[in-house]
């Protein structure tokens, strides 16, 4: 029993011990759970940046002030202190990486900084591996928003946003090309790439990129700026890291590049630098005269005003040495953003834990102690809390977009004038440019148009308010290189002569247009081609695109493939492809008999018949009974007589000498005109019978006959690529002489059936070779222009000048000078037109006929006036004549109208009646004279008697 009892006692004792152990374990577990769920007493955050820099000086004080404010605010992290672990990177990416590892060893849950984009790229990789959010208040490189860096959060505005503002600013002032000066690091390169994309969206161009080393060596800056003087654009955009010495602008001023000929823009690095200068040094601002700068816009608020006042007190106490800039405000809000996210994290998950990475633990055996680094288990949750931030800070409403960038408030546009900073406007991507702050425009407009854009007046470098031109074409040291084709044929358009002078229609157009450009254009002509054959114009334009020539002047057709690589001026002459054939392809017509004369010739000839009819009637009416009678009969006789002369069969004969004289001249003219008409009509009918089988483009393509084209022209490519004509059918012709020979030989003789070429060349050819003509109408439309490099502002100014030449008629005068001395070639349309008889060939004959008719009429009129006056005088001396019933009544001399009617009645009488009147009035006088003579004779006879 004892053993049993002892055993029983032992069992009882073990049971009690087990119960005690269970109670202890339960108490331990309860205590452990309490400890695990308890809020941490402190949370560490890291800060990695360059302390002694423009941004770092301000950021350090702002971050420390924000940590102090967070720890003193019971509304956030209640019971948990925020501890700051800072490391100075000394502007080194390597030291920045080391500093990042050092703060991570301290168990930080987030890292603030750095301000350098290059450092941000490196530290972001580390943050990704350890799942620690990296929150930067100054790294603005747009590529940091990539999916490659999921733990990178930006609390300042991305350069992608800033470069959109800068591109819009360039467009607002109307410049097309810019030169960019930037630091050759991640911040500079990637910012400029974003800027180039934004310029292309606005159809602007980054003409030149001028990189600088990150040391900003003065000799390097001097060399870069001197080289830029030789370039055309004068609009500069400077995108570097903050530089308190303002070396780029100081050196530019020494090089006389801050004058009225230049335009300078700067990104927000310059505004941050200026704002950090405290007190502001007037000498520093003096080198910035006329510079236009972007500054991140911070909306006005009571929080901001209170912090600015606090900063001023800190300056007075000497606790800070720099003025407050926008990056300081963003750094302050960055701490509050992290604190709010940590507070929300703790409320949701409690304590913060870290774990070891197995691969990092395996490196403990090496000298590099990476095994001490721990992965933040709650990194993803904290990142989500950061991106859910939604509070009002010093910089305004803090929220993030889908790219983990803060939603910014836009930019201010500032202008430095006379060492004073002026705000000339604001910009956001929603409102564009405005003179009102963006927050005052919210809710007023959802979109904007270019007409809504407005900024205050800007004072540019040199102190002028007028907008600078922003570019120079060339200078005397480096004149514009203008290529000119050295043609072997059709040299009246353009070519180079043996004395190295360039002449031609195209050259004259360019020189006249140059006179109308409101600035000087130093230039030199450079020939293109060997002069033995026409050059290839596609290669010619490509040389402009390849910067061999700055521009090209000549007979350059504006076609699609050329416009893709170069800019062209306004066309100065209309062109199009036409078909030239050996003969006219006129179709038989019922009205072919009208074609020998032009419309002008027909009208003048018809008018001449009418004039001759009237003149002959006037001259013959008094003496020829055939031209007398009732008015209707006289009218019919008058016109029948005139038109019957055409057939040389007149029933009426002319009697008066004056009428016969006019008829002699008229019949001579009719002989010449009818002979010419007969010859022309015969020629037209003959040509119709011998016409070419080519009736137009379709029949030419379908005929499979050889086709000629001009060497060097775009015609070859057009016929092959657009009209799908076989290359074997195309024959290259280099001169008008070859044109003529090929057309005369025809397909059977080794020539061509037709030639396809541009209208100006064809007009010039037909003006000297009238045996050929144009078939149909031009089947393409185009023009000739001058080629310029893409984006060249000279193209616009030359186009404006060409329009002025066209409006004033000077363009036509130049064409007349070169092509219209023997008749404008643009009036030549077909062979049928060349066979037409024009007034210019017969105006001398018509003038002769008109002169004879006028002289005969004047002689007749003077004779009638003389007879009428004589008749009136006889009536005055012998009033008894009035008793004759055949004579008109004598009226008062004051009644002119009645005298005129009397004169007309007198003229209307026949010649015999007029003579009878004079005989009747002279009869009494003759009888009296004979009586007196008889009396005298009788008296003398009586006196002689003895």
């Amino acid at each position: 029993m004892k053993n049993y009892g002892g055993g029983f006692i032992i069992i009882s004792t073990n049971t009690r011990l087990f119960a005690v152990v269970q109670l202890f374990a339960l108490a331990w577990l309860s205590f452990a759970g309490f400890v695990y769920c308890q809020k941490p007493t402190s949370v560490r955050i890291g800060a990695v940046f360059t302390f002694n820099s423009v941004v770092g000086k301000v950021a350090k004080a702002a971050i420390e002030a924000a940590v102090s404010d967070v720890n003193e605010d019971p509304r956030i992290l209640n019971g948990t202190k925020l501890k700051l672990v800072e490391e100075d990177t000394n502007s080194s990416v390597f030291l920045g990486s080391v500093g990042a590892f050092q703060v991570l060893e301290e168990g930080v849950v987030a890292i603030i900084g750095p301000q350098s984009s290059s450092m941000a790229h490196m530290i972001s990789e580390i943050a990704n591996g350890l799942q620690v959010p990296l929150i930067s208040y100054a790294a603005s490189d747009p590529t940091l928003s990539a999916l490659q860096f999921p733990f990178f959060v930006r609390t300042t505005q991305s350069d992608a946003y800033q470069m959109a503002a800068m591109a819009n600013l360039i467009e607002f002032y109307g410049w097309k090309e810019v030169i960019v000066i930037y630091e050759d690091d991640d911040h500079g390169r990637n910012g400029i790439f974003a800027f180039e994309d934004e310029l292309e969206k606005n159809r602007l161009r980054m003409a030149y990129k001028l990189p600088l080393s990150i040391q900003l060596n003065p000799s390097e800056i001097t060399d870069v700026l001197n080289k830029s003087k030789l370039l055309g654009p004068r609009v500069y955009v400077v995108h570097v890291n903050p530089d308190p010495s303002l070396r780029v602008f100081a050196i530019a001023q020494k090089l006389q590049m801050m004058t009225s000929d230049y335009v300078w823009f700067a990104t927000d690095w310059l505004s941050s630098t200026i704002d950090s200068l405290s007190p502001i040094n007037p000498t520093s601002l003096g080198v910035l005269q006329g510079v236009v700068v972007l500054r991140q816009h911070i909306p006005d608020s009571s929080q901001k005003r209170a912090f600015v006042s606090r900063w001023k007190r800190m300056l007075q106490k000497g606790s800070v040495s720099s003025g407050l800039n926008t990056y300081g405000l963003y750094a302050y809000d960055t701490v509050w953003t992290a604190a709010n996210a940590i507070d929300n994290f703790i409320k949701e998950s409690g304590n913060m834990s870290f774990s070891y990475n197995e691969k990092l633990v395996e490196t403990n055996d090496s000298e590099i102690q990476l095994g001490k680094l721990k992965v933040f288990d709650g990194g993803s949750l904290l990142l989500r809390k950061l991106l859910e931030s939604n509070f009002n800070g010093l910089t305004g409403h803090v929220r993030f977009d889908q790219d983990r960038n803060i939603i910014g408030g836009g930019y201010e546009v500032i202008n430095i004038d006379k060492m004073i900073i002026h705000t000339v406007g604001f910009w956001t991507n929603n409102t564009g440019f405005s003179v009102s702050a963006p927050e005052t425009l919210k809710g007023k407009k959802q979109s904007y148009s270019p007409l809504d854009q407005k900024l205050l007046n800007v004072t540019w470098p040199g102190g002028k308010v007028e907008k600078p031109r922003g570019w120079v074409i060339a200078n005397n040291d480096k004149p514009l290189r203008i290529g000119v084709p050295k043609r072997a044929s059709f040299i009246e358009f353009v070519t180079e002569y043996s004395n190295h002078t360039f002449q031609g229609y195209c050259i004259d157009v360019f020189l006249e247009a140059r006179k109308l450009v409101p600035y000087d254009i130093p230039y030199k002509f450079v020939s293109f081609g060997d002069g033995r054959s026409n050059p290839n114009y596609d290669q010619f334009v490509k040389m402009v695109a390849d910067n061999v020539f700055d521009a090209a002047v000549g007979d350059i057709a504006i076609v699609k493939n050329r416009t893709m690589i170069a800019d062209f001026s306004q066309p100065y002459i209309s062109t199009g492809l036409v078909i030239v054939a050996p003969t006219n392809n006129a179709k038989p017509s019922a009205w072919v008999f009208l074609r020998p004369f032009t419309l002008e010739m027909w009208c003048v000839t018809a008018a001449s018949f009418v004039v001759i009819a009237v003149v002959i009637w006037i001259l013959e009416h008094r003496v020829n009974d055939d031209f007398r009678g009732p008015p209707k009969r006289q009218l019919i006789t008058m016109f029948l007589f005139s038109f019957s002369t055409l057939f040389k069969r007149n029933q009426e004969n002319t009697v008066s000498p004056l009428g016969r004289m006019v008829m002699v001249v008229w019949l001579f003219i009719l002989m010449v005109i009818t002979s010419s008409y007969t010859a022309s009509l015969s020629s037209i009918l003959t040509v119709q019978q011998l016409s070419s089988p080519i009736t137009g483009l379709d029949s030419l393509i379908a005929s499979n006959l050889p086709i000629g084209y001009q060497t060097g022209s775009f015609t070859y490519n057009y016929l092959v690529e657009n009209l799908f004509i076989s290359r074997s059918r195309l024959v290259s012709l280099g001169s008008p002489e070859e044109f003529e020979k090929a057309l005369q030989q025809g397909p059977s003789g080794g020539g061509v059936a037709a030639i396809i070429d541009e209208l100006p060349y064809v007009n010039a050819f037909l003006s000297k070779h009238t045996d050929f003509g144009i078939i149909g109408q031009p089947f393409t439309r185009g023009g000739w222009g001058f080629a310029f490099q893409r984006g060249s502002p000279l193209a616009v100014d030359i186009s404006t000048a060409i329009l002025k030449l066209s409006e004033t008629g000077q363009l036509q005068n130049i064409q007349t000078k070169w092509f219209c001395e023997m008749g404008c070639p643009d009036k030549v349309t077909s062979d049928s037109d060349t066979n037409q008889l024009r007034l210019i060939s017969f105006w001398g004959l018509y003038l002769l006929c008109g002169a004879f008719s006028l002289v005969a009429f004047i002689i007749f009129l003077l004779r009638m006036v003389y007879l009428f006056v004589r008749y009136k005088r006889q009536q005055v001396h012998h009033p008894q004549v009035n008793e004759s019933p055949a004579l008109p009544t004598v009226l008062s001399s004051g009644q002119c109208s009645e005298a005129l009617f009397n004169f007309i009645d007198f003229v209307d009488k026949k010649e015999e009646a007029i003579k009878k009147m004079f005989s009747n009035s002279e009869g009494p006088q003759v009888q009296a004279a004979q009586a007196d003579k008889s009396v005298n004779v009788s008296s003398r006879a009586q006196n002689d008697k003895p």
Side-chain angles (χ1 to χ4, degrees):
M1 293 292 293
K2 184 177 180 180
N3 292 337
Y4 179 80
F8 174 79
I9 292 173
I10 291 173
I11 292 173
S12 176
T13 303
N14 289 339
T15 301
R16 291 177 182 177
L17 180 63
F18 179 73
V20 171
V21 171
Q22 283 183 324
L23 290 174
F24 178 78
L26 181 64
W28 184 84
L29 289 173
S30 300
F31 175 76
F34 172 77
V35 170
Y36 179 79
C37 297
Q38 185 181 10
K39 291 177 59 176
T41 57
S42 64
V43 176
R44 290 185 177 90
I45 59 172
V48 181
F49 58 95
T50 301
F51 295 169
N52 189 28
S53 65
V54 171
V55 175
K57 290 178 182 179
V58 180
K60 180 175 173 56
I63 291 172
E64 292 173 352
V67 171
S68 176
D69 292 346
V70 167
N71 289 331
E72 292 177 1
D73 193 335
R75 296 171 299 177
I76 186 171
L77 293 176
N78 190 18
T80 300
K81 293 295 182 182
L82 197 63
K83 291 188 177 180
L84 181 66
V85 181
E86 296 180 294
E87 286 293 336
D88 188 1
T89 63
N90 291 308
S91 301
S92 169
V93 175
F94 173 74
L95 293 179
S97 302
V98 174
F101 283 120
Q102 289 175 338
V103 298
L104 287 169
E105 286 181 352
E106 300 293 329
V108 298
V109 297
I111 300 176
I112 296 175
Q115 75 254 32
S116 166
S117 295
S118 299
M119 292 184 195
H121 278 275
M122 178 65 72
I123 298 176
S124 288
E125 296 287 359
I126 300 172
N128 291 346
L130 300 178
Q131 297 187 17
V132 175
L134 178 64
I135 316 168
S136 178
Y137 56 87
S140 56
D141 179 359
T143 62
L144 289 169
S145 298
L147 297 176
Q148 178 184 355
F149 309 111
F151 281 86
F152 178 83
V153 179
R154 194 189 334 258
T155 55
T156 188
Q157 299 187 60
S158 169
D159 272 347
Y161 194 55
Q162 177 175 211
M163 293 309 173
M166 183 61 74
N168 285 357
L169 189 60
I170 302 297
E171 182 189 33
F172 177 82
Y173 287 108
W175 291 299
K176 300 298 182 182
E177 290 186 325
V178 298
I179 295 177
V180 176
I181 299 175
Y182 66 99
E183 282 190 30
D184 195 11
D185 60 0
D186 289 334
H187 167 255
R189 285 192 303 271
N190 295 329
I192 294 308
F193 290 152
F195 184 39
E196 190 167 24
D197 291 341
E198 293 297 331
L199 288 174
E200 290 180 356
K201 291 178 184 178
N202 293 278
R203 297 184 178 181
L204 308 178
R205 178 171 173 258
M206 186 182 296
Y208 302 96
K209 302 175 186 177
L210 306 179
L212 297 173
S213 63
I214 59 176
Q215 291 79 19
L216 292 181
N217 186 282
S219 61
E220 180 188 17
I221 297 173
T222 302
D223 182 56
V224 166
L225 292 180
N226 274 325
K227 290 180 179 178
S228 73
K229 284 184 174 182
L230 302 177
L231 307 177
R234 288 292 182 264
V235 179
Y236 290 79
V237 176
V238 183
H239 181 61
V240 297
N241 289 307
D243 175 25
S245 300
L246 305 175
R247 279 167 283 188
V248 172
F249 293 101
I251 294 173
Q253 187 182 48
K254 292 179 181 178
L255 297 177
Q256 302 297 315
M257 296 178 66
M258 299 299 293
T259 61
S260 58
D261 293 333
Y262 292 82
V263 179
W264 290 90
F265 292 97
T267 52
D268 65 346
W269 72 269
L270 183 55
S271 57
S272 300
T273 302
I274 296 172
D275 293 338
S276 300
L277 299 177
S278 182
I280 294 179
N281 186 353
T283 304
S284 299
L285 289 184
V287 302
L288 301 176
Q289 170 64 38
V291 179
V292 177
V293 190
L294 293 179
R295 176 165 59 191
Q296 297 187 62
H297 175 62
I298 307 298
D300 190 27
S301 65
S302 57
Q303 291 177 273
K304 175 185 174 183
R305 290 193 296 271
F307 190 78
V308 170
S309 300
R310 177 181 175 184
W311 193 273
K312 290 180 179 178
R313 293 193 297 271
M314 294 168 66
L315 275 173
Q316 293 173 354
K317 293 178 182 179
S319 56
V320 294
S321 59
S322 297
L324 180 63
N325 58 33
T326 56
Y327 288 110
L329 298 175
Y330 280 116
Y332 182 91
D333 277 355
T334 300
V335 175
W336 277 91
T337 301
N340 279 304
I342 293 171
D343 186 41
N344 292 330
F345 177 92
I346 293 174
K347 289 177 181 179
E348 181 173 328
S349 69
N351 204 353
M352 298 182 174
S353 62
F354 294 85
S355 60
Y356 289 105
N357 186 304
E358 294 180 359
K359 294 184 178 180
L360 292 178
V361 172
E362 293 175 357
T363 63
N364 282 337
D365 296 337
S366 65
E367 295 181 359
I368 302 176
Q369 300 298 317
L370 297 179
K372 295 181 180 180
L373 299 176
K374 300 178 182 180
V375 177
F376 179 30
D377 296 331
S380 297
L381 178 60
L382 181 60
L383 175 64
R384 179 161 60 85
K385 295 300 179 182
L386 282 168
L387 298 179
E388 291 175 354
S389 297
N390 189 0
F391 68 96
N392 290 321
L394 298 183
T395 58
H397 198 66
V398 178
R399 291 178 301 164
F400 292 93
D401 60 20
Q402 60 183 3
D403 293 325
R404 306 181 305 283
N405 296 321
I406 196 169
I407 299 176
Y411 286 86
E412 299 175 12
V413 182
I414 63 175
N415 176 225
I416 295 92
D417 177 33
K418 298 177 181 178
M419 295 178 289
I420 300 175
I421 301 173
H422 302 276
T423 299
V424 297
F426 303 86
W427 178 91
T428 69
N429 59 352
N430 293 324
T431 61
F433 291 107
S434 172
V435 295
S436 301
E439 57 270 19
T440 65
L441 300 175
K442 287 184 177 180
K444 294 183 179 180
K445 278 192 176 183
Q446 297 298 324
S447 62
Y448 67 93
S449 69
L451 298 177
D452 299 326
Q453 307 297 286
K454 186 178 181 181
L455 291 174
L456 299 177
N457 291 333
V458 168
T459 302
W460 302 101
K464 294 184 178 181
V465 295
E466 295 83 9
K467 187 189 78 172
R469 190 167 69 239
W471 51 271
V472 293
I473 292 298
N475 53 46
N476 293 326
D477 295 330
K478 187 181 178 182
L480 206 65
R481 300 160 301 172
I482 299 179
V484 179
K486 190 173 183 180
R487 293 190 59 88
S489 63
F490 295 107
I491 60 175
E492 57 265 40
F493 289 101
V494 59
T495 196
E496 180 186 15
Y497 291 89
S498 57
N499 56 355
H500 301 292
T501 59
F502 296 86
Q503 295 181 4
Y505 166 70
C506 304
I507 297 295
D508 282 3
V509 172
F510 173 76
L511 295 178
E512 290 299 321
R514 174 179 170 270
K515 294 178 183 178
L516 297 178
V517 175
Y519 48 85
D520 184 40
I521 306 177
Y523 70 93
K524 64 176 181 180
F525 286 138
V526 181
S527 63
F528 173 73
D530 55 13
R532 293 187 294 271
S533 63
N534 295 331
N536 186 295
Y537 280 65
D538 287 337
Q539 295 179 3
F540 187 29
V541 175
K542 189 175 185 303
M543 294 183 73
V544 176
D546 294 341
N547 199 31
V548 177
F549 298 127
D550 297 306
V553 170
D555 47 341
I556 308 171
I558 304 174
V559 293
K560 180 181 177 181
N561 65 313
R562 297 173 185 174
T563 59
M564 297 175 67
I565 61 174
D567 287 346
F568 281 83
S569 68
Q570 173 79 15
Y572 58 86
I573 187 173
S574 297
T575 65
L577 292 178
V578 294
I579 302 173
V580 183
T583 57
N584 180 26
N585 189 38
K587 297 180 180 179
S589 172
W591 304 98
V592 69
F593 66 89
L594 296 176
R595 289 173 55 187
F597 285 172
T598 62
L599 178 61
E600 183 183 37
M601 184 68 177
W602 278 116
C603 292
V604 173
T605 303
S608 299
F609 276 101
V610 174
V611 170
I612 290 299
V614 173
V615 171
I616 293 298
W617 178 84
I618 292 174
L619 298 179
E620 294 292 321
H621 179 68
R622 296 178 60 255
V623 298
N624 195 335
D625 291 335
D626 293 335
F627 290 88
R628 299 188 64 82
K632 182 178 180 180
R633 180 176 180 272
Q634 294 184 52
L635 188 64
I636 294 173
T637 302
M638 177 173 62
F639 286 104
L640 283 178
F641 176 82
S642 175
F643 286 100
S644 63
T645 57
L646 190 62
F647 309 102
K648 302 179 181 179
R649 293 181 62 184
N650 299 323
Q651 296 179 355
E652 301 81 5
N653 294 319
T654 53
V655 176
S656 67
L658 292 176
R660 292 178 176 178
M661 179 185 69
V662 171
M663 283 301 298
V664 169
V665 177
W666 173 242
L667 291 174
F668 172 74
I669 292 175
L670 278 182
M671 180 189 68
V672 175
I673 291 177
T674 53
S675 300
S676 302
Y677 174 87
T678 302
S680 179
L681 182 60
S682 300
S683 175
I684 291 173
L685 294 175
T686 303
V687 168
Q688 287 185 350
Q689 294 174 357
L690 301 177
S691 60
S692 169
I694 305 301
T695 60
L697 181 62
D698 293 337
S699 64
L700 179 61
I701 296 175
S703 67
N704 287 324
L705 296 174
I707 302 172
Y709 70 93
Q710 185 181 170
T711 304
S713 171
F714 77 96
T715 308
Y716 179 83
N717 291 334
Y718 180 83
L719 296 178
V720 172
E721 297 174 4
N722 294 75
L723 300 183
F724 307 105
I725 297 176
S726 173
R727 300 174 188 269
S728 61
R729 292 179 57 191
L730 302 180
V731 179
S732 176
L733 303 172
S735 66
E737 291 74 20
E738 293 184 15
F739 279 23
E740 181 182 20
K741 181 179 179 181
L743 288 172
Q744 288 177 343
Q745 290 177 341
S748 60
V752 297
I755 294 174
I756 295 180
D757 204 355
E758 294 180 80
L759 186 59
Y761 299 126
V762 171
N763 285 333
F765 172 72
L766 294 181
S767 66
K768 300 177 182 178
H769 303 83
T770 58
D771 295 335
F772 313 102
I774 296 174
I775 304 298
Q777 299 295 323
F779 55 88
T780 65
R781 299 292 180 185
W784 288 351
F786 305 134
F788 300 89
Q789 294 182 4
R790 294 298 296 269
S792 173
L794 185 58
V796 177
D797 292 335
I798 288 292
S799 295
T800 303
I802 290 174
L803 289 175
K804 291 180 181 178
L805 290 175
S806 178
E807 292 171 357
T808 58
Q810 289 179 268
L811 208 56
Q812 182 60 44
N813 293 338
I814 298 173
Q815 185 175 0
T816 302
K817 168 188 172 183
W818 283 96
F819 305 113
C820 295
E821 293 181 357
M822 300 301 293
C824 289
D826 58 353
K827 298 180 185 286
V828 179
T829 56
S830 66
D831 285 342
S832 62
D833 292 339
T834 60
N835 291 325
Q836 283 189 318
L837 300 175
R838 304 177 184 278
L839 179 62
I840 192 172
S841 302
F842 298 95
W843 71 269
L845 290 175
Y846 283 113
L847 179 62
L848 180 64
C849 180
F852 269 92
S853 299
L854 181 61
V855 170
F857 177 73
I858 292 175
I859 294 173
F860 171 79
L861 186 61
L862 293 176
R863 180 173 178 273
M864 295 311 298
V865 170
Y866 167 75
L867 294 176
F868 182 69
V869 172
R870 177 183 170 192
Y871 170 70
K872 283 297 182 181
R873 288 178 179 174
Q874 290 181 356
Q875 284 186 328
V876 173
H877 295 300
H878 304 281
Q880 67 275 11
V881 177
N882 296 338
E883 298 176 359
S884 173
L887 296 177
T889 306
V890 179
L891 301 176
S892 173
S893 59
Q895 298 178 348
C896 297
S897 59
E898 293 187 13
L900 179 60
F901 289 136
N902 291 337
F903 175 73
I904 294 174
D905 290 339
F906 179 80
V907 173
D908 189 54
K909 291 184 177 297
K910 290 187 66 174
E911 184 74 17
E912 291 81 358
I914 298 297
K915 292 180 179 179
K916 186 177 181 181
M917 291 179 189
F918 285 111
S919 300
N920 293 338
S921 61
E922 292 177 355
Q925 297 179 10
V926 174
Q927 294 175 1
Q930 291 177 351
D932 292 339
K933 184 177 180 181
S934 299
V935 171
N936 292 334
V937 172
S938 300
S939 300
R940 283 198 299 269
Q942 291 177 359
N943 293 331
D944 291 338
K945 290 180 179 180

